[in-house]
Amino acid sequence: MREKVIENKIKDYLTSKGIYHFKIHGDSFVKPGLPDIVCCWNGKFLAIEVKRPGAKNEQSEQQKIHEKNILKSGGIYLLADNLDDVKNIIEKE
């Protein structure tokens, strides 16, 4: 399954739950390594980096820096290679 398919499933799920979110599209004007999807739900900041199945260990150095800074600031950072990764975070709250 391609990363885009997983990303679309995650966005559809977030929409179905009424969770505010947006996709960050990478280009030359965007800081490298930003997470794919940014959400705010129940007053919590959630950044989701989407990977294809089995590729969670392929995080770039820039992505690791953003993860560290988001966690340091009290946000939640999630590496997701399937929809259940996101559901587990959202539905446990």
Side-chain angles (χ1 to χ4, degrees), residues 19-87:
I19 296 171
Y20 175 75
H21 67 282
F22 57 91
K23 162 75 174 135
I24 296 181
H25 297 276
D27 64 21
S28 61
F29 298 104
V30 175
K31 190 181 260 189
L34 287 175
D36 294 307
I37 303 170
V38 174
C39 311
C40 184
W41 109 98
N42 292 340
K44 297 177 179 82
F45 178 89
L46 170 62
I48 304 170
E49 177 59 37
V50 181
K51 298 292 186 186
R52 71 182 188 285
K56 286 185 181 181
N57 62 342
E58 296 177 13
Q59 193 179 19
S60 73
E61 288 307 311
Q62 292 95 342
Q63 289 169 341
K64 290 176 185 177
I65 290 168
H66 287 292
E67 176 182 17
K68 178 182 151 203
N69 290 332
I70 289 166
L71 294 173
K72 182 179 173 183
S73 297
I76 300 166
Y77 186 94
L78 176 64
L79 281 170
D81 67 358
N82 62 73
L83 177 58
D84 286 338
D85 289 340
V86 176
K87 285 182 174 181

